[in-house]
Amino acid sequence: MHLAPHTLRRIVSAATVALLATAVGCAPQPEEKSAAKPAGTAGATCAKGKLATQTSGKLTIATDEPAYEPWFKDGKPANGEGFESAVAYAVAKQLGYDKANVVWQSVPFNKAFAPGEKTFDFDVNQVSISAERKKAVDFSSGYYDVRQAVIALKNSKAAKATSIADLKGLKLGAQVGTTSLNYIDDVVKPTQEPAAYAKNDQAKSALQNGQVDAIVVDLPTAFYITAAEVTDAKIVGQFENQGGTPEQFGLVLDKGSALTSCVTTAVDALRKDGTLGSIEKQWLSDAVDAPVLK
């Protein structure tokens, strides 16, 4: 991570470890990669439909399997439905490839941004852009701004919170060293010392055991937790971004890919003309009941 019980079990397969790691902006330790290509290979062309792709005349896009809502619909990335499927096809069109010339490939979440030569042109899989991951792969500019969210058990007092003020008297928890914990300290400023956990798994257990009233995680992780792990919990709300550069998902490309600048230009164009905003509103805003906490 848009919420049926089966909604985000896709993230169970890979993001059980990797997506939760995204909240702290870290990635598996990169292995040594020989002869890494310099970013933006010289002579790259962005001529529409004529990029230096894996297969001439085709654009190969990867994502994990299974592919779950709201990122994809009915487990079929190729149908153009769901937020990330729609984004992928919009980028493809911007690059000069119609739907018939897009080829989908299954690549596990962790493998998408691990070191090593890629078999895809770009991967779309809720991967947050981070300096650590940039050591192993290239990213496009961000196509989705990630927000932090509050999770509480459905029948709890915390579940009724509608504002930041309502959270101040609660016992809150988050993973140590994360943006989530920063939001508790700097935005909520609770009257009780927040609980900091080494891992999100520990924070979730604390929530289930009643040791904390609510926990804070990034919104995609909140999708996963409430849909697939702690199904008696709900997303209470999400925070507004607090200035600076927001955490973002980016399309993943091979390190030094000749396509990086082309894909980034395409994403930037879609953001500028409002396409990304429209896709987000269609597939995320209405699909996920996550009001903004102010």
Side-chain angles (χ1 to χ4, degrees):
M1 322 176 243
H2 311 176
L3 274 179
H6 65 284
T7 301
L8 276 179
R9 285 192 297 271
R10 179 182 73 73
I11 306 182
V12 175
S13 61
T16 298
V17 175
L19 184 55
L20 296 180
T22 299
V24 294
C26 62
Q29 291 298 313
E31 300 169 3
E32 291 297 321
K33 180 181 177 183
S34 61
K37 296 172 288 185
T41 303
T45 174
C46 294
K48 289 188 178 294
K50 298 181 179 180
L51 304 183
T53 55
Q54 294 284 335
T55 302
S56 180
K58 302 286 185 180
L59 186 67
T60 302
I61 303 175
T63 195
D64 201 358
E65 184 180 359
Y68 287 97
E69 299 181 21
W71 316 108
F72 301 93
K73 191 169 179 63
D74 300 325
K76 300 176 181 178
N79 65 13
E81 299 184 62
F83 178 73
E84 290 196 325
S85 181
V87 167
Y89 279 116
V91 171
K93 183 178 180 181
Q94 196 74 22
L95 294 173
Y97 296 87
D98 59 27
K99 196 170 182 178
N101 290 320
V102 171
V103 178
W104 284 89
Q105 185 180 100
S106 175
V107 173
F109 182 87
N110 283 333
K111 190 174 180 181
F113 51 86
E117 188 173 354
K118 307 307 176 190
T119 57
F120 51 77
D121 294 312
F122 69 76
D123 179 277
V124 55
N125 198 10
Q126 304 125 64
V127 181
S128 288
I129 300 169
S130 74
E132 180 67 20
R133 287 173 176 165
K134 282 183 176 180
K135 295 176 182 178
V137 294
D138 282 356
F139 282 96
S140 70
S141 52
Y143 63 87
Y144 176 61
D145 295 354
V146 186
R147 291 191 177 191
Q148 299 300 311
V150 179
I151 297 175
L153 297 181
K154 292 176 181 177
N155 296 321
S156 68
K157 177 184 177 181
K160 299 178 176 64
T162 59
S163 68
I164 292 174
D166 292 337
L167 302 174
K168 288 186 180 294
L170 302 178
K171 181 68 174 180
L172 304 175
Q175 185 171 341
V176 68
T178 62
T179 305
S180 304
L181 189 57
N182 291 341
Y183 267 71
I184 295 176
D185 289 331
D186 303 334
V187 178
V188 179
K189 299 178 181 178
T191 57
Q192 301 183 56
E193 185 73 18
Y197 299 95
K199 297 181 179 180
N200 266 333
D201 283 342
Q202 295 172 355
K204 288 180 291 184
S205 295
L207 177 65
Q208 290 175 298
N209 295 334
Q211 295 170 305
V212 293
D213 298 310
I215 60 174
V216 178
V217 295
D218 65 76
L219 191 54
T221 301
F223 295 162
Y224 159 65
I225 292 173
T226 56
E229 272 207 341
V230 189
T231 55
D232 59 341
K234 62 173 285 188
I235 300 174
V236 177
Q238 59 180 310
F239 295 107
E240 294 179 304
N241 285 320
Q242 300 298 305
T245 303
E247 182 181 353
Q248 295 182 314
F249 289 155
L251 302 175
V252 182
L253 299 95
D254 198 3
K255 186 67 176 175
S257 172
L259 305 183
T260 301
S261 62
C262 303
V263 174
T264 288
T265 298
V267 172
D268 289 344
L270 294 172
R271 183 179 287 277
K272 185 176 181 180
D273 69 14
T275 299
L276 288 181
S278 296
I279 294 173
E280 181 178 338
K281 182 177 181 180
Q282 179 180 2
W283 296 107
L284 296 185
S285 298
D286 296 335
V288 180
D289 184 15
V292 176
L293 298 167
K294 296 182 179 181

